């Protein structure tokens, strides 16, 4: 068997922590992937991804998002204007973690527009969106 040739591609990994309804998380955990489109926050985020082809660009595949269920724990301070929770109380939020990739060679204006759309679609006062420079392994 001949060895498999590989290559890599420089990308910006974007990890968005999107709050979802408890019923959405339960539906996803039971295998109902359609629950994403029924959840208002997740649906808005998916729409933002679909409107920006640079996000989730895998050549012949576009709008690619890796999805993971999760929970976030935080305490609201008196200075916050929370979407969820009350000041001084610990809050647990069901979360859909969306990992996206944008080619590192994406022009800055196109990248900025895509990131602005993700932030605009996010419902939280302080969205949790992580950016990491990385490389994807490709068949070469």
């Amino acid at each position: 068997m001949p060895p498999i040739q590989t290559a890599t591609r420089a990308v910006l990994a974007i990890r968005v922590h999107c709050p979802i309804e408890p019923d959405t998380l339960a539906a996803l955990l039971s295998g109902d992937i359609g629950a994403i489109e029924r959840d208002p926050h997740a649906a808005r985020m998916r729409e933002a991804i679909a409107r920006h082809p640079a996000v989730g660009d895998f050549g012949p595949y576009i709008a690619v998002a890796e999805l993971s269920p999760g929970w976030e724990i935080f305490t609201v301070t008196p200075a916050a204007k929370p979407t969820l929770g009350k000041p001084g109380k610990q809050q647990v939020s069901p979360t859909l973690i969306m990992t996206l990739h944008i080619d590192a060679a994406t022009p800055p204006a196109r990248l900025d527009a895509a990131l602005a759309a993700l932030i605009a679609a996010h419902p939280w006062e302080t969205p949790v969106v992580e950016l990491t420079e990385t490389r994807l392994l490709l068949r070469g």
Side-chain angles (χ1 to χ4, degrees):
M1 179 180 206
I4 295 174
Q5 300 297 312
T6 62
T8 62
R9 175 179 166 204
V11 296
L12 180 65
I14 304 166
R15 197 150 76 158
V16 179
H17 298 254
C18 179
I20 56 177
E21 297 297 323
D23 290 346
T24 302
L25 182 59
L28 289 172
L29 292 173
S30 73
D32 178 7
I33 195 69
I36 293 171
E37 299 306 325
R38 296 189 301 270
D39 185 274
H41 302 313
R44 279 187 62 194
M45 195 62 63
R46 290 285 298 139
E47 288 168 14
I49 294 165
R51 283 194 312 270
H52 291 274
V55 177
D57 174 12
F58 276 73
Y61 302 93
I62 60 170
V64 176
E66 306 298 329
L67 306 176
S68 303
W71 295 263
E72 291 190 55
I73 300 172
F74 56 91
T75 301
V76 178
T77 70
K81 294 180 179 69
T83 304
L84 179 66
K86 297 182 190 283
K89 302 283 184 183
Q90 188 175 66
Q91 181 66 46
V92 177
S93 173
T95 301
L96 182 62
I97 303 163
M98 300 177 166
T99 302
L100 315 161
H101 297 90
I102 295 182
D103 192 289
T106 299
R110 192 171 179 199
L111 174 61
D112 290 346
L115 295 175
L118 293 174
I119 290 294
H122 201 291
W124 285 347
E125 178 181 23
T126 305
V128 178
V129 179
E130 304 169 33
L131 305 176
T132 307
E133 293 178 4
T134 191
R135 302 189 68 76
L136 292 176
L137 182 62
L138 309 171
R139 295 179 192 269

